[in-house]
Amino acid sequence: MRNRLVTLSLVFLLALTLVPGPAAGAAAKVKIAKEKQAVLDWLARPETVERFGKISDSIWQYAELGLQEFRSSKLLADTLEEAGFTVERDLAGMPTCFVATYGSGKPVIGILGEFDALPMLSQKGRVPKQDPVVEGAPGHGCGHNTMCTASAAAAIAVKEAMAAHNIKGTIKVFGSPAEEIVASRPYMIRAGLFEGVDAVIDNHSSSGFGTEYGVGGNALFSTIFTFKGKTAHAAGAPWVGRSALDAVEIMNVATNYLREHLPLSHRLHYVVIDGGEAPNVVPDKARVWYYVRNTDERLEDMYKRVVDCAKAGALAAGVELASMQVVSAIHQRHANKAAAELFQKNIELVGMPAWSEEEHAFAKALQKELGAEQKGMPLAVDKLEAPRGGQFTGGGSSDVGDVTLIAPTATIGFPGLAPGAIGHHWSAVACFYGSTAWKGLNAGAKAIAASTIDLLTKPEELAKLRKEFDEYGKTHPYKPFLPADANPPNDLNKELMDKYRGLLEKALEIK
Ligand SMILES: [Zn+2]
């Protein structure tokens, strides 16, 4: 119903050619260029909303972990290829990485897209109580199923407009695996995939509809520390053995003491991924996986101290620190202000989707379950605000950070998540399936597509982004944290995905 309303209203608006920008106040008038109107109309068609909604739902069902996204990546790459894009697959050493290109020459506008899930979050779609599809299986708790889908929808809409209106330039969709382990973008940059790209549009699912600029999130080293000792009968002759698990435990104690002496901008967490197999055998092998997070300026110093803790653990336990595998290492986000200002105008033009009674009711039921304010789905788009000043107290990370340092980039956050639902939690998985996810990703695709049209057709807008970026680069040149000898962790999630893929396919009757 909503889709027909949108189509009708767009036809009406097209006839007028002058429409009020929803957030610009009644007095202001926004003239929509015919190229931009074409992408908005294409995306507003009910069949488009349904087509990409179903792709998003399929990826939600596959729930594939980072670098195991074989079905998700193929579905998206095939969709773009069938629409007329040239698709290169298996890039930068990652089988699920792809780049889809349309057009030729300058300018080159990049659109990022992610599609990986998170472990342990399996949950039935649009059920406002914890209820897994398969207990312990992965789930889309960050909405990445909606994200590369929004990118693909936007790119195809732009491609149609480029062909119909003879727009020059190139668009590239960067199919980026494994964002949840921040493991693709530094490798994609290292492989040269972003060379010649003039500006990049990133996107992320959200409970609001907005964008931001400035420095955000934490830089991160993701590293697996492996210790090797000697087995022995744990009761008969323990003095013969040297426990690798002891080294892990001593390292963890040391890093937990280290916390007190780190600036507030840090985050530090770990899981023991291998700690022996039976209490009566002294473990000769143990592994602990660390996320070490801080600002760009403080990260390397903090990481060095964590490595010292690992060495101390090995020394005390009398075992060997056999390897330190850097899974990935990334920068903070340095989002471009001119890009965010341009994206904001298009977000305001698109406006918040009109949610149905059922959609508000689902959000309220979920909010009630979580003890959050029962306010339903959001009603208006966010304002673009200046970055918060004061002491930076740390936060999450995204490997888009590295991209922001090699091309002017900002992120469009699009709706779908009920406010109060929790990221990386079953409640988020419940939201990213079905109607609100479909509408949210469609609104996101419109803002991405409209912004791409601006960057392709208005050289003066692109010049603003480039000028700011070139100026910023003088004091922030890109120096990857990723060590030159690091390799994509293609098998890191293999065992988990092998365990759950068949169970998910059976439970959801995926063919
Ligand atoms: Zn995410």
Side-chain angles (χ1 to χ4, degrees):
M1 188 49 130
R2 146 82 182 151
N3 303 329
R4 205 173 69 223
L5 284 175
V6 169
T7 311
L8 287 174
S9 61
L10 281 170
V11 169
F12 176 66
L13 296 180
L14 186 60
L16 284 177
T17 67
L18 287 174
V19 297
K29 301 279 182 192
V30 179
K31 187 171 189 305
I32 303 179
K34 61 184 186 307
E35 298 89 345
K36 191 181 284 189
Q37 192 63 59
V39 296
L40 296 175
D41 288 348
W42 192 87
L43 287 162
R45 299 183 316 170
E47 61 267 34
T48 308
V49 178
E50 187 182 342
R51 176 180 167 204
F52 291 96
K54 284 183 171 168
I55 290 173
S56 169
D57 282 356
S58 292
I59 296 169
W60 182 96
Q61 292 188 324
Y62 303 155
E64 293 174 306
L65 296 169
L67 295 164
Q68 299 298 308
E69 318 98 325
F70 299 109
R71 295 188 78 148
S72 310
S73 165
K74 184 176 186 314
L75 177 57
L76 292 158
D78 287 353
T79 300
L80 286 154
E81 198 166 62
E82 281 158 23
F85 284 71
T86 303
V87 179
E88 298 165 278
R89 304 173 197 236
D90 191 4
L91 298 174
M94 295 173 283
T96 53
C97 176
F98 70 87
V99 176
T101 305
Y102 177 79
S104 62
K106 288 277 187 181
V108 182
I109 308 303
I111 303 173
L112 302 181
E114 302 161 11
F115 37 75
D116 61 322
L118 285 153
M120 304 181 284
L121 298 182
S122 182
Q123 165 68 23
K124 287 179 184 150
R126 306 199 65 71
V127 173
K129 278 192 179 338
Q130 188 169 17
D131 186 4
V133 175
V134 172
E135 184 83 47
H140 271 286
C142 207
H144 293 193
N145 57 304
T146 61
M147 287 159 50
C148 197
T149 310
S151 308
I156 296 170
V158 172
K159 181 237 153 191
E160 297 289 322
M162 287 172 81
H165 297 279
N166 199 21
I167 301 170
K168 297 210 167 20
T170 306
I171 47 171
K172 281 177 178 277
V173 177
F174 290 94
S176 314
E179 194 282 331
E180 297 295 3
I181 49 171
V182 297
S184 68
R185 259 68 78 116
Y187 293 101
M188 291 167 76
I189 293 170
R190 193 172 77 182
L193 301 185
F194 288 92
E195 267 163 33
V197 175
D198 294 300
V200 173
I201 305 174
D202 180 42
N203 67 84
H204 206 289
S205 65
S206 172
S207 55
F209 195 5
T211 184
E212 59 186 15
Y213 61 89
V215 182
N218 268 334
L220 160 66
F221 266 98
S222 164
T223 302
I224 297 172
F225 296 87
T226 301
F227 298 90
K228 286 217 168 98
K230 275 197 289 187
T231 59
H233 193 304
W239 43 86
V240 177
R242 294 289 180 273
S243 169
L245 179 60
D246 287 357
V248 166
E249 295 204 71
I250 294 165
M251 177 189 178
N252 295 346
V253 169
T255 59
N256 284 316
Y257 274 105
L258 175 62
R259 284 180 201 280
E260 188 184 352
H261 307 288
L262 294 170
L264 297 179
S265 53
H266 85 277
R267 292 283 190 283
L268 178 63
H269 27 251
Y270 54 82
V271 286
V272 178
I273 51 178
D274 187 356
E277 289 173 17
N280 61 349
V281 180
V282 172
D284 65 340
K285 190 180 163 214
R287 292 187 301 156
V288 60
W289 181 10
Y290 264 81
Y291 275 17
V292 178
R293 311 195 204 218
N294 216 318
T295 60
D296 281 355
E297 294 78 19
R298 292 167 176 164
L299 182 70
E300 284 171 308
D301 181 56
M302 177 180 168
Y303 183 62
K304 202 167 141 291
R305 298 188 72 184
V306 170
V307 169
D308 283 343
C309 294
K311 289 178 183 166
L315 186 65
V319 304
E320 185 196 348
L321 174 56
S323 68
M324 294 183 282
Q325 182 202 348
V326 178
V327 172
S328 192
I330 58 157
H331 282 267
Q332 289 182 281
R333 293 187 301 279
H334 299 254
N336 185 278
K337 186 181 180 198
E341 286 169 347
L342 179 72
F343 300 172
Q344 179 70 21
K345 283 184 199 150
N346 288 309
I347 289 165
E348 289 174 6
L349 174 71
V350 172
M352 187 60 79
W355 311 107
S356 69
E357 278 309 307
E358 186 278 325
E359 288 160 350
H360 281 299
F362 167 74
K364 284 179 184 169
L366 193 64
Q367 287 153 354
K368 187 175 177 203
E369 176 72 13
L370 298 169
E373 188 190 345
Q374 292 173 53
K375 56 183 179 182
M377 293 299 286
L379 301 176
V381 305
D382 306 336
K383 289 195 175 69
L384 183 62
E385 284 168 5
R388 261 172 284 157
Q391 166 104 266
F392 175 66
T393 53
S397 311
S398 165
D399 60 358
V400 71
D402 283 42
V403 180
T404 64
L405 290 171
I406 53 113
T409 306
T411 303
I412 292 173
F414 63 79
L417 186 70
I422 302 160
H424 295 204
H425 182 262
W426 65 263
S427 58
V429 186
C431 295
F432 289 125
Y433 184 82
S435 65
T436 46
W438 290 25
K439 284 184 187 175
L441 84 87
N442 188 261
K446 284 177 185 153
I448 298 166
S451 302
T452 309
I453 292 290
D454 281 338
L455 292 170
L456 287 171
T457 59
K458 296 181 180 170
E460 70 283 6
E461 288 292 339
L462 180 58
K464 280 190 219 165
L465 275 63
R466 294 295 320 175
K467 185 164 179 276
E468 179 188 329
F469 176 78
D470 291 342
E471 205 50 47
Y472 195 76
K474 287 179 190 164
T475 48
H476 296 78
Y478 178 56
K479 275 200 307 215
F481 286 132
L482 188 74
D485 61 354
N487 289 305
N490 286 334
D491 289 335
L492 190 63
N493 284 318
K494 185 175 185 312
E495 210 177 305
L496 261 185
M497 206 61 231
D498 285 352
K499 179 175 171 188
Y500 289 112
R501 187 185 295 280
L503 295 171
L504 284 168
E505 285 174 355
K506 201 169 156 214
L508 293 163
E509 295 175 9
I510 303 170
K511 301 261 165 9

